[in-house]
Amino acid sequence: MVAPSAFIFHVSRCGSTLVSQLLGLSEKNITLSEVPLIDELLRASRRQPDPSETEAALKAGISLLGRRRFGQEKHLFIKLDSWHVFFAGTLRRLYPGVPFVLLYRSPDEVVFSHQKRRGMQAVPGLLEPELFGMSHAESTSYDGDRYIAKVLEYYYSQFLLIAQNDDRAILLDYRQGGIDIVRRLARFAGMALDEAEIAEMAVRSRFHAKYPEQGFAEEKKESCVSAYLQPAQAMYARLEQLRARLSR
């Protein structure tokens, strides 16, 4: 069994899929991406008066998922669903020394991506709104774009809270680029990368993360922050200021 090397939290549409794929290129690594079992157990823990039994099942499930396949694996990277940031306290309690990676992106770019193809967290009613600190009435009062903008506010606020209070957490922004993000993540998690691995990652990063048969080209959109995005944009700016301060 390989113990977790890092949990990857993200705000969605911020390069987390590519990062997990790049890490998975190495035979030394096991990478798990948005595993339904982990999601089910984390969300079930909210419904239990005493979540200890569910948390024990979560640890057992992660141990099972982290078993060695070929014998040479040394690292286990777990990319969570975006809403799992609200369970960071549970995961920190269960895994006190494991690094938390906080991967994010500017809200206008995240919303633009969801406008093309919406994830579960971007559609009111698909996930229980209480996960995001909203009542059912509040969640149904927003259209799709305003809803994901509100969700992003909650994500960014949680990232700020974690980064300010947890010295085993690192902030990483999409604009740093996939290879640089993996380098920083690996260094923070205590994993060495050799030049052959970096070269293989560079080749893979030229292709789309979700459609690997397609070459990747960043779709440009003229930056225009709508009024409903301004609170999320302000939170994003605070994250960037904190990241700059912590990286000195």
Side-chain angles (χ1 to χ4, degrees):
M1 187 270 290
V2 181
S5 299
F7 289 102
I8 302 173
F9 297 90
H10 60 97
V11 302
S12 77
R13 311 302 169 86
C14 59
S16 60
T17 298
L18 177 62
V19 167
S20 63
Q21 289 174 355
L22 296 181
L23 290 167
L25 292 173
S26 173
E27 294 179 350
K28 297 182 298 188
N29 301 335
I30 301 169
T31 57
L32 305 176
S33 182
E34 301 183 0
V35 178
L37 174 64
I38 294 175
D39 180 48
E40 179 62 32
L41 290 171
L42 281 173
R43 288 163 66 189
S45 69
R46 295 179 63 253
R47 302 188 291 269
Q48 304 298 325
D50 178 6
S52 59
E53 185 174 332
T54 306
E55 291 175 359
L58 175 64
K59 285 205 76 170
I62 289 176
S63 293
L64 181 64
L65 292 165
R67 70 191 186 282
R68 287 185 173 88
R69 280 71 164 167
F70 306 105
Q72 71 269 44
E73 296 91 341
K74 298 179 180 178
H75 306 283
L76 171 62
F77 295 96
I78 301 175
K79 177 197 154 190
L80 301 159
D81 286 292
S82 62
W83 52 90
H84 291 165
V85 69
F86 301 112
F87 298 95
T90 296
L91 291 168
R92 177 51 78 224
R93 186 169 64 254
L94 296 176
Y95 298 94
V98 175
F100 283 179
V101 176
L102 308 174
L103 183 56
Y104 60 98
R105 188 180 187 180
S106 67
D108 57 322
E109 293 172 350
V110 176
V111 171
F112 179 55
S113 178
H114 280 291
Q115 286 171 341
K116 294 181 289 181
R117 183 170 182 163
R118 294 190 183 274
M120 290 176 62
Q121 70 277 19
V123 180
L126 283 188
L127 293 167
E128 55 269 37
E130 293 81 9
L131 277 174
F132 309 108
M134 285 186 264
S135 66
H136 177 74
E138 182 185 6
S139 69
T140 56
S141 70
Y142 301 117
D143 63 21
D145 288 352
R146 286 168 174 77
Y147 181 77
I148 186 59
K150 196 68 179 176
V151 167
L152 286 171
E153 286 181 52
Y154 289 115
Y155 285 172
Y156 296 146
S157 66
Q158 286 298 111
F159 275 31
L160 280 167
L161 188 64
I162 295 167
Q164 288 167 339
N165 294 284
D166 191 331
D167 61 5
R168 296 299 295 148
I170 184 172
L171 290 167
L172 295 170
D173 183 271
Y174 173 86
R175 295 181 186 182
Q176 293 172 263
I179 299 296
D180 187 45
I181 286 171
V182 171
R183 284 183 184 273
R184 292 171 184 269
L185 185 161
R187 186 163 58 247
F188 192 69
M191 183 185 80
L193 293 173
D194 60 42
E195 290 309 311
E197 289 172 323
I198 293 294
E200 188 177 7
M201 290 179 185
V203 171
R204 175 62 188 86
S205 64
R206 296 173 193 158
F207 295 88
H208 201 290
K210 292 183 169 57
Y211 309 101
E213 72 285 355
Q214 299 177 13
F216 178 74
E218 188 78 62
E219 188 173 353
K220 299 298 182 182
K221 180 179 183 290
E222 185 176 346
S223 180
C224 180
V225 179
S226 303
Y228 69 86
L229 265 177
Q230 288 177 359
Q233 189 67 38
M235 297 291 285
Y236 170 75
R238 288 178 60 191
L239 274 174
E240 283 291 83
Q241 290 167 1
L242 181 59
R243 179 172 68 86
R245 189 165 73 248
L246 293 175
S247 62
R248 289 174 188 162

PDB file of all heavy atoms in Angstrom, residues 9-43:
ATOM      1  N   PHE A   9      -6.636  19.703  -4.441  1.00  0.00           N
ATOM      2  CA  PHE A   9      -7.896  20.436  -4.450  1.00  0.00           C
ATOM      3  C   PHE A   9      -7.868  21.394  -5.650  1.00  0.00           C
ATOM      4  O   PHE A   9      -6.808  21.877  -6.041  1.00  0.00           O
ATOM      5  CB  PHE A   9      -8.074  21.239  -3.164  1.00  0.00           C
ATOM      6  CG  PHE A   9      -8.151  20.397  -1.915  1.00  0.00           C
ATOM      7  CD1 PHE A   9      -6.999  20.069  -1.205  1.00  0.00           C
ATOM      8  CD2 PHE A   9      -9.368  19.959  -1.437  1.00  0.00           C
ATOM      9  CE1 PHE A   9      -7.060  19.299  -0.042  1.00  0.00           C
ATOM     10  CE2 PHE A   9      -9.445  19.193  -0.265  1.00  0.00           C
ATOM     11  CZ  PHE A   9      -8.288  18.863   0.426  1.00  0.00           C
ATOM     12  N   HIS A  10      -9.026  21.713  -6.184  1.00  0.00           N
ATOM     13  CA  HIS A  10      -9.058  22.590  -7.361  1.00  0.00           C
ATOM     14  C   HIS A  10     -10.422  23.242  -7.479  1.00  0.00           C
ATOM     15  O   HIS A  10     -11.393  22.796  -6.849  1.00  0.00           O
ATOM     16  CB  HIS A  10      -8.736  21.793  -8.627  1.00  0.00           C
ATOM     17  CG  HIS A  10      -9.718  20.670  -8.895  1.00  0.00           C
ATOM     18  ND1 HIS A  10     -10.784  20.807  -9.754  1.00  0.00           N
ATOM     19  CD2 HIS A  10      -9.797  19.415  -8.393  1.00  0.00           C
ATOM     20  CE1 HIS A  10     -11.479  19.682  -9.777  1.00  0.00           C
ATOM     21  NE2 HIS A  10     -10.899  18.818  -8.957  1.00  0.00           N
ATOM     22  N   VAL A  11     -10.511  24.286  -8.292  1.00  0.00           N
ATOM     23  CA  VAL A  11     -11.767  25.018  -8.462  1.00  0.00           C
ATOM     24  C   VAL A  11     -12.477  24.617  -9.749  1.00  0.00           C
ATOM     25  O   VAL A  11     -13.488  25.230 -10.102  1.00  0.00           O
ATOM     26  CB  VAL A  11     -11.540  26.549  -8.440  1.00  0.00           C
ATOM     27  CG1 VAL A  11     -10.894  26.983  -7.137  1.00  0.00           C
ATOM     28  CG2 VAL A  11     -10.725  27.011  -9.643  1.00  0.00           C
ATOM     29  N   SER A  12     -11.988  23.605 -10.441  1.00  0.00           N
ATOM     30  CA  SER A  12     -12.485  23.104 -11.724  1.00  0.00           C
ATOM     31  C   SER A  12     -12.001  23.975 -12.876  1.00  0.00           C
ATOM     32  O   SER A  12     -11.810  25.180 -12.724  1.00  0.00           O
ATOM     33  CB  SER A  12     -14.012  22.972 -11.759  1.00  0.00           C
ATOM     34  OG  SER A  12     -14.661  24.212 -11.932  1.00  0.00           O
ATOM     35  N   ARG A  13     -11.766  23.332 -13.993  1.00  0.00           N
ATOM     36  CA  ARG A  13     -11.333  23.972 -15.237  1.00  0.00           C
ATOM     37  C   ARG A  13     -10.054  24.791 -15.040  1.00  0.00           C
ATOM     38  O   ARG A  13      -9.906  25.881 -15.587  1.00  0.00           O
ATOM     39  CB  ARG A  13     -12.458  24.838 -15.818  1.00  0.00           C
ATOM     40  CG  ARG A  13     -13.811  24.123 -15.906  1.00  0.00           C
ATOM     41  CD  ARG A  13     -13.726  22.848 -16.747  1.00  0.00           C
ATOM     42  NE  ARG A  13     -14.911  22.024 -16.642  1.00  0.00           N
ATOM     43  CZ  ARG A  13     -16.007  22.171 -17.392  1.00  0.00           C
ATOM     44  NH1 ARG A  13     -16.055  23.123 -18.315  1.00  0.00           N
ATOM     45  NH2 ARG A  13     -17.028  21.356 -17.235  1.00  0.00           N
ATOM     46  N   CYS A  14      -9.163  24.252 -14.213  1.00  0.00           N
ATOM     47  CA  CYS A  14      -7.948  24.996 -13.873  1.00  0.00           C
ATOM     48  C   CYS A  14      -6.684  24.164 -14.091  1.00  0.00           C
ATOM     49  O   CYS A  14      -5.645  24.430 -13.487  1.00  0.00           O
ATOM     50  CB  CYS A  14      -8.014  25.488 -12.432  1.00  0.00           C
ATOM     51  SG  CYS A  14      -8.201  24.155 -11.221  1.00  0.00           S
ATOM     52  N   GLY A  15      -6.775  23.130 -14.936  1.00  0.00           N
ATOM     53  CA  GLY A  15      -5.602  22.335 -15.254  1.00  0.00           C
ATOM     54  C   GLY A  15      -5.374  21.136 -14.365  1.00  0.00           C
ATOM     55  O   GLY A  15      -4.364  20.442 -14.515  1.00  0.00           O
ATOM     56  N   SER A  16      -6.289  20.835 -13.454  1.00  0.00           N
ATOM     57  CA  SER A  16      -6.070  19.728 -12.520  1.00  0.00           C
ATOM     58  C   SER A  16      -6.064  18.374 -13.223  1.00  0.00           C
ATOM     59  O   SER A  16      -5.324  17.471 -12.821  1.00  0.00           O
ATOM     60  CB  SER A  16      -7.122  19.749 -11.408  1.00  0.00           C
ATOM     61  OG  SER A  16      -8.429  19.634 -11.950  1.00  0.00           O
ATOM     62  N   THR A  17      -6.886  18.235 -14.261  1.00  0.00           N
ATOM     63  CA  THR A  17      -6.896  16.964 -14.996  1.00  0.00           C
ATOM     64  C   THR A  17      -5.554  16.733 -15.678  1.00  0.00           C
ATOM     65  O   THR A  17      -4.984  15.636 -15.611  1.00  0.00           O
ATOM     66  CB  THR A  17      -8.031  16.950 -16.040  1.00  0.00           C
ATOM     67  OG1 THR A  17      -9.289  17.054 -15.370  1.00  0.00           O
ATOM     68  CG2 THR A  17      -8.010  15.660 -16.861  1.00  0.00           C
ATOM     69  N   LEU A  18      -5.024  17.769 -16.316  1.00  0.00           N
ATOM     70  CA  LEU A  18      -3.718  17.635 -16.960  1.00  0.00           C
ATOM     71  C   LEU A  18      -2.635  17.339 -15.930  1.00  0.00           C
ATOM     72  O   LEU A  18      -1.779  16.473 -16.151  1.00  0.00           O
ATOM     73  CB  LEU A  18      -3.366  18.906 -17.737  1.00  0.00           C
ATOM     74  CG  LEU A  18      -1.978  18.904 -18.400  1.00  0.00           C
ATOM     75  CD1 LEU A  18      -1.880  17.788 -19.433  1.00  0.00           C
ATOM     76  CD2 LEU A  18      -1.682  20.256 -19.036  1.00  0.00           C
ATOM     77  N   VAL A  19      -2.647  18.042 -14.811  1.00  0.00           N
ATOM     78  CA  VAL A  19      -1.635  17.822 -13.775  1.00  0.00           C
ATOM     79  C   VAL A  19      -1.656  16.369 -13.306  1.00  0.00           C
ATOM     80  O   VAL A  19      -0.600  15.722 -13.180  1.00  0.00           O
ATOM     81  CB  VAL A  19      -1.849  18.783 -12.595  1.00  0.00           C
ATOM     82  CG1 VAL A  19      -1.024  18.358 -11.379  1.00  0.00           C
ATOM     83  CG2 VAL A  19      -1.485  20.205 -12.997  1.00  0.00           C
ATOM     84  N   SER A  20      -2.834  15.815 -13.063  1.00  0.00           N
ATOM     85  CA  SER A  20      -2.913  14.427 -12.610  1.00  0.00           C
ATOM     86  C   SER A  20      -2.441  13.479 -13.705  1.00  0.00           C
ATOM     87  O   SER A  20      -1.802  12.449 -13.418  1.00  0.00           O
ATOM     88  CB  SER A  20      -4.338  14.084 -12.162  1.00  0.00           C
ATOM     89  OG  SER A  20      -5.256  14.174 -13.230  1.00  0.00           O
ATOM     90  N   GLN A  21      -2.718  13.809 -14.967  1.00  0.00           N
ATOM     91  CA  GLN A  21      -2.247  12.965 -16.065  1.00  0.00           C
ATOM     92  C   GLN A  21      -0.729  13.028 -16.199  1.00  0.00           C
ATOM     93  O   GLN A  21      -0.083  12.007 -16.460  1.00  0.00           O
ATOM     94  CB  GLN A  21      -2.921  13.386 -17.368  1.00  0.00           C
ATOM     95  CG  GLN A  21      -4.399  13.032 -17.425  1.00  0.00           C
ATOM     96  CD  GLN A  21      -5.094  13.585 -18.651  1.00  0.00           C
ATOM     97  OE1 GLN A  21      -4.499  14.324 -19.441  1.00  0.00           O
ATOM     98  NE2 GLN A  21      -6.353  13.232 -18.821  1.00  0.00           N
ATOM     99  N   LEU A  22      -0.155  14.198 -16.031  1.00  0.00           N
ATOM    100  CA  LEU A  22       1.300  14.324 -16.104  1.00  0.00           C
ATOM    101  C   LEU A  22       1.970  13.531 -14.988  1.00  0.00           C
ATOM    102  O   LEU A  22       2.970  12.833 -15.208  1.00  0.00           O
ATOM    103  CB  LEU A  22       1.718  15.795 -16.039  1.00  0.00           C
ATOM    104  CG  LEU A  22       1.271  16.690 -17.202  1.00  0.00           C
ATOM    105  CD1 LEU A  22       1.778  18.113 -17.011  1.00  0.00           C
ATOM    106  CD2 LEU A  22       1.735  16.143 -18.547  1.00  0.00           C
ATOM    107  N   LEU A  23       1.427  13.618 -13.791  1.00  0.00           N
ATOM    108  CA  LEU A  23       1.972  12.842 -12.679  1.00  0.00           C
ATOM    109  C   LEU A  23       1.848  11.346 -12.945  1.00  0.00           C
ATOM    110  O   LEU A  23       2.723  10.555 -12.575  1.00  0.00           O
ATOM    111  CB  LEU A  23       1.248  13.202 -11.379  1.00  0.00           C
ATOM    112  CG  LEU A  23       1.533  14.592 -10.809  1.00  0.00           C
ATOM    113  CD1 LEU A  23       0.519  14.941  -9.723  1.00  0.00           C
ATOM    114  CD2 LEU A  23       2.958  14.681 -10.256  1.00  0.00           C
ATOM    115  N   GLY A  24       0.768  10.949 -13.615  1.00  0.00           N
ATOM    116  CA  GLY A  24       0.518   9.539 -13.878  1.00  0.00           C
ATOM    117  C   GLY A  24       1.412   8.943 -14.947  1.00  0.00           C
ATOM    118  O   GLY A  24       1.416   7.712 -15.131  1.00  0.00           O
ATOM    119  N   LEU A  25       2.177   9.772 -15.658  1.00  0.00           N
ATOM    120  CA  LEU A  25       3.081   9.245 -16.677  1.00  0.00           C
ATOM    121  C   LEU A  25       4.226   8.438 -16.069  1.00  0.00           C
ATOM    122  O   LEU A  25       4.785   7.551 -16.716  1.00  0.00           O
ATOM    123  CB  LEU A  25       3.656  10.389 -17.519  1.00  0.00           C
ATOM    124  CG  LEU A  25       2.670  11.125 -18.428  1.00  0.00           C
ATOM    125  CD1 LEU A  25       3.344  12.341 -19.060  1.00  0.00           C
ATOM    126  CD2 LEU A  25       2.133  10.198 -19.508  1.00  0.00           C
ATOM    127  N   SER A  26       4.590   8.747 -14.851  1.00  0.00           N
ATOM    128  CA  SER A  26       5.703   8.062 -14.196  1.00  0.00           C
ATOM    129  C   SER A  26       5.231   6.753 -13.573  1.00  0.00           C
ATOM    130  O   SER A  26       4.191   6.705 -12.900  1.00  0.00           O
ATOM    131  CB  SER A  26       6.321   8.949 -13.112  1.00  0.00           C
ATOM    132  OG  SER A  26       7.287   8.224 -12.377  1.00  0.00           O
ATOM    133  N   GLU A  27       6.009   5.702 -13.767  1.00  0.00           N
ATOM    134  CA  GLU A  27       5.694   4.411 -13.167  1.00  0.00           C
ATOM    135  C   GLU A  27       5.849   4.443 -11.646  1.00  0.00           C
ATOM    136  O   GLU A  27       5.406   3.519 -10.957  1.00  0.00           O
ATOM    137  CB  GLU A  27       6.591   3.323 -13.769  1.00  0.00           C
ATOM    138  CG  GLU A  27       6.330   3.077 -15.247  1.00  0.00           C
ATOM    139  CD  GLU A  27       7.237   2.007 -15.832  1.00  0.00           C
ATOM    140  OE1 GLU A  27       8.198   1.601 -15.122  1.00  0.00           O
ATOM    141  OE2 GLU A  27       6.989   1.571 -16.970  1.00  0.00           O
ATOM    142  N   LYS A  28       6.467   5.487 -11.132  1.00  0.00           N
ATOM    143  CA  LYS A  28       6.634   5.621  -9.680  1.00  0.00           C
ATOM    144  C   LYS A  28       5.345   6.092  -9.005  1.00  0.00           C
ATOM    145  O   LYS A  28       5.238   6.042  -7.780  1.00  0.00           O
ATOM    146  CB  LYS A  28       7.750   6.625  -9.363  1.00  0.00           C
ATOM    147  CG  LYS A  28       9.128   6.233  -9.856  1.00  0.00           C
ATOM    148  CD  LYS A  28      10.177   7.264  -9.449  1.00  0.00           C
ATOM    149  CE  LYS A  28       9.875   8.628 -10.060  1.00  0.00           C
ATOM    150  NZ  LYS A  28      10.985   9.597  -9.822  1.00  0.00           N
ATOM    151  N   ASN A  29       4.395   6.585  -9.804  1.00  0.00           N
ATOM    152  CA  ASN A  29       3.225   7.249  -9.242  1.00  0.00           C
ATOM    153  C   ASN A  29       1.933   6.503  -9.502  1.00  0.00           C
ATOM    154  O   ASN A  29       1.725   5.943 -10.592  1.00  0.00           O
ATOM    155  CB  ASN A  29       3.079   8.659  -9.832  1.00  0.00           C
ATOM    156  CG  ASN A  29       4.284   9.525  -9.561  1.00  0.00           C
ATOM    157  OD1 ASN A  29       5.017   9.310  -8.590  1.00  0.00           O
ATOM    158  ND2 ASN A  29       4.499  10.507 -10.420  1.00  0.00           N
ATOM    159  N   ILE A  30       1.068   6.521  -8.516  1.00  0.00           N
ATOM    160  CA  ILE A  30      -0.335   6.170  -8.686  1.00  0.00           C
ATOM    161  C   ILE A  30      -1.109   7.477  -8.627  1.00  0.00           C
ATOM    162  O   ILE A  30      -0.913   8.269  -7.701  1.00  0.00           O
ATOM    163  CB  ILE A  30      -0.835   5.230  -7.575  1.00  0.00           C
ATOM    164  CG1 ILE A  30      -0.025   3.927  -7.542  1.00  0.00           C
ATOM    165  CG2 ILE A  30      -2.321   4.929  -7.738  1.00  0.00           C
ATOM    166  CD1 ILE A  30      -0.292   3.084  -6.302  1.00  0.00           C
ATOM    167  N   THR A  31      -1.961   7.727  -9.606  1.00  0.00           N
ATOM    168  CA  THR A  31      -2.788   8.928  -9.571  1.00  0.00           C
ATOM    169  C   THR A  31      -4.263   8.526  -9.603  1.00  0.00           C
ATOM    170  O   THR A  31      -4.674   7.715 -10.427  1.00  0.00           O
ATOM    171  CB  THR A  31      -2.491   9.863 -10.756  1.00  0.00           C
ATOM    172  OG1 THR A  31      -2.674   9.157 -11.980  1.00  0.00           O
ATOM    173  CG2 THR A  31      -1.066  10.391 -10.695  1.00  0.00           C
ATOM    174  N   LEU A  32      -5.017   9.092  -8.706  1.00  0.00           N
ATOM    175  CA  LEU A  32      -6.464   8.879  -8.645  1.00  0.00           C
ATOM    176  C   LEU A  32      -7.143  10.202  -8.959  1.00  0.00           C
ATOM    177  O   LEU A  32      -6.742  11.241  -8.442  1.00  0.00           O
ATOM    178  CB  LEU A  32      -6.880   8.393  -7.259  1.00  0.00           C
ATOM    179  CG  LEU A  32      -6.183   7.140  -6.726  1.00  0.00           C
ATOM    180  CD1 LEU A  32      -6.635   6.855  -5.300  1.00  0.00           C
ATOM    181  CD2 LEU A  32      -6.459   5.945  -7.620  1.00  0.00           C
ATOM    182  N   SER A  33      -8.161  10.154  -9.800  1.00  0.00           N
ATOM    183  CA  SER A  33      -8.812  11.389 -10.227  1.00  0.00           C
ATOM    184  C   SER A  33     -10.314  11.314 -10.014  1.00  0.00           C
ATOM    185  O   SER A  33     -11.011  10.508 -10.660  1.00  0.00           O
ATOM    186  CB  SER A  33      -8.508  11.645 -11.708  1.00  0.00           C
ATOM    187  OG  SER A  33      -9.094  12.858 -12.133  1.00  0.00           O
ATOM    188  N   GLU A  34     -10.808  12.103  -9.055  1.00  0.00           N
ATOM    189  CA  GLU A  34     -12.241  12.260  -8.811  1.00  0.00           C
ATOM    190  C   GLU A  34     -12.934  10.904  -8.702  1.00  0.00           C
ATOM    191  O   GLU A  34     -13.869  10.589  -9.436  1.00  0.00           O
ATOM    192  CB  GLU A  34     -12.873  13.149  -9.897  1.00  0.00           C
ATOM    193  CG  GLU A  34     -12.240  14.534  -9.936  1.00  0.00           C
ATOM    194  CD  GLU A  34     -12.876  15.489 -10.939  1.00  0.00           C
ATOM    195  OE1 GLU A  34     -13.828  15.091 -11.628  1.00  0.00           O
ATOM    196  OE2 GLU A  34     -12.414  16.636 -11.025  1.00  0.00           O
ATOM    197  N   VAL A  35     -12.461  10.109  -7.744  1.00  0.00           N
ATOM    198  CA  VAL A  35     -12.962   8.745  -7.560  1.00  0.00           C
ATOM    199  C   VAL A  35     -14.355   8.781  -6.925  1.00  0.00           C
ATOM    200  O   VAL A  35     -14.534   9.372  -5.844  1.00  0.00           O
ATOM    201  CB  VAL A  35     -11.988   7.944  -6.665  1.00  0.00           C
ATOM    202  CG1 VAL A  35     -12.520   6.538  -6.431  1.00  0.00           C
ATOM    203  CG2 VAL A  35     -10.606   7.917  -7.296  1.00  0.00           C
ATOM    204  N   PRO A  36     -15.369   8.156  -7.542  1.00  0.00           N
ATOM    205  CA  PRO A  36     -16.726   8.182  -6.974  1.00  0.00           C
ATOM    206  C   PRO A  36     -16.808   7.660  -5.545  1.00  0.00           C
ATOM    207  O   PRO A  36     -17.587   8.180  -4.741  1.00  0.00           O
ATOM    208  CB  PRO A  36     -17.519   7.295  -7.946  1.00  0.00           C
ATOM    209  CG  PRO A  36     -16.795   7.428  -9.247  1.00  0.00           C
ATOM    210  CD  PRO A  36     -15.345   7.526  -8.870  1.00  0.00           C
ATOM    211  N   LEU A  37     -16.017   6.643  -5.196  1.00  0.00           N
ATOM    212  CA  LEU A  37     -16.056   6.097  -3.833  1.00  0.00           C
ATOM    213  C   LEU A  37     -15.650   7.153  -2.810  1.00  0.00           C
ATOM    214  O   LEU A  37     -16.289   7.291  -1.754  1.00  0.00           O
ATOM    215  CB  LEU A  37     -15.126   4.883  -3.722  1.00  0.00           C
ATOM    216  CG  LEU A  37     -14.961   4.290  -2.311  1.00  0.00           C
ATOM    217  CD1 LEU A  37     -16.288   3.740  -1.805  1.00  0.00           C
ATOM    218  CD2 LEU A  37     -13.881   3.205  -2.299  1.00  0.00           C
ATOM    219  N   ILE A  38     -14.599   7.910  -3.114  1.00  0.00           N
ATOM    220  CA  ILE A  38     -14.155   8.960  -2.190  1.00  0.00           C
ATOM    221  C   ILE A  38     -15.241  10.024  -2.046  1.00  0.00           C
ATOM    222  O   ILE A  38     -15.543  10.487  -0.932  1.00  0.00           O
ATOM    223  CB  ILE A  38     -12.830   9.578  -2.674  1.00  0.00           C
ATOM    224  CG1 ILE A  38     -11.708   8.530  -2.595  1.00  0.00           C
ATOM    225  CG2 ILE A  38     -12.470  10.820  -1.856  1.00  0.00           C
ATOM    226  CD1 ILE A  38     -10.375   8.998  -3.155  1.00  0.00           C
ATOM    227  N   ASP A  39     -15.859  10.401  -3.150  1.00  0.00           N
ATOM    228  CA  ASP A  39     -16.929  11.394  -3.110  1.00  0.00           C
ATOM    229  C   ASP A  39     -18.095  10.899  -2.266  1.00  0.00           C
ATOM    230  O   ASP A  39     -18.630  11.634  -1.419  1.00  0.00           O
ATOM    231  CB  ASP A  39     -17.393  11.711  -4.531  1.00  0.00           C
ATOM    232  CG  ASP A  39     -18.501  12.748  -4.569  1.00  0.00           C
ATOM    233  OD1 ASP A  39     -18.352  13.792  -3.904  1.00  0.00           O
ATOM    234  OD2 ASP A  39     -19.528  12.519  -5.244  1.00  0.00           O
ATOM    235  N   GLU A  40     -18.498   9.668  -2.484  1.00  0.00           N
ATOM    236  CA  GLU A  40     -19.641   9.111  -1.753  1.00  0.00           C
ATOM    237  C   GLU A  40     -19.377   9.084  -0.248  1.00  0.00           C
ATOM    238  O   GLU A  40     -20.237   9.467   0.545  1.00  0.00           O
ATOM    239  CB  GLU A  40     -19.933   7.701  -2.266  1.00  0.00           C
ATOM    240  CG  GLU A  40     -21.086   6.999  -1.563  1.00  0.00           C
ATOM    241  CD  GLU A  40     -22.421   7.718  -1.733  1.00  0.00           C
ATOM    242  OE1 GLU A  40     -22.640   8.342  -2.785  1.00  0.00           O
ATOM    243  OE2 GLU A  40     -23.250   7.650  -0.791  1.00  0.00           O
ATOM    244  N   LEU A  41     -18.184   8.677   0.142  1.00  0.00           N
ATOM    245  CA  LEU A  41     -17.881   8.569   1.575  1.00  0.00           C
ATOM    246  C   LEU A  41     -17.735   9.938   2.225  1.00  0.00           C
ATOM    247  O   LEU A  41     -18.182  10.139   3.361  1.00  0.00           O
ATOM    248  CB  LEU A  41     -16.620   7.734   1.771  1.00  0.00           C
ATOM    249  CG  LEU A  41     -16.777   6.238   1.458  1.00  0.00           C
ATOM    250  CD1 LEU A  41     -15.435   5.531   1.475  1.00  0.00           C
ATOM    251  CD2 LEU A  41     -17.742   5.580   2.441  1.00  0.00           C
ATOM    252  N   LEU A  42     -17.125  10.883   1.532  1.00  0.00           N
ATOM    253  CA  LEU A  42     -17.010  12.231   2.099  1.00  0.00           C
ATOM    254  C   LEU A  42     -18.384  12.861   2.278  1.00  0.00           C
ATOM    255  O   LEU A  42     -18.685  13.434   3.336  1.00  0.00           O
ATOM    256  CB  LEU A  42     -16.137  13.103   1.202  1.00  0.00           C
ATOM    257  CG  LEU A  42     -14.625  12.906   1.321  1.00  0.00           C
ATOM    258  CD1 LEU A  42     -13.896  13.721   0.251  1.00  0.00           C
ATOM    259  CD2 LEU A  42     -14.117  13.292   2.714  1.00  0.00           C
ATOM    260  N   ARG A  43     -19.223  12.768   1.268  1.00  0.00           N
ATOM    261  CA  ARG A  43     -20.550  13.390   1.372  1.00  0.00           C
ATOM    262  C   ARG A  43     -21.433  12.657   2.376  1.00  0.00           C
ATOM    263  O   ARG A  43     -22.260  13.276   3.054  1.00  0.00           O
ATOM    264  CB  ARG A  43     -21.197  13.458  -0.004  1.00  0.00           C
ATOM    265  CG  ARG A  43     -20.519  14.511  -0.899  1.00  0.00           C
ATOM    266  CD  ARG A  43     -20.831  14.329  -2.363  1.00  0.00           C
ATOM    267  NE  ARG A  43     -22.231  14.556  -2.661  1.00  0.00           N
ATOM    268  CZ  ARG A  43     -22.794  14.291  -3.846  1.00  0.00           C
ATOM    269  NH1 ARG A  43     -22.045  13.775  -4.817  1.00  0.00           N
ATOM    270  NH2 ARG A  43     -24.061  14.532  -4.053  1.00  0.00           N
TER     271      ARG A  43
END
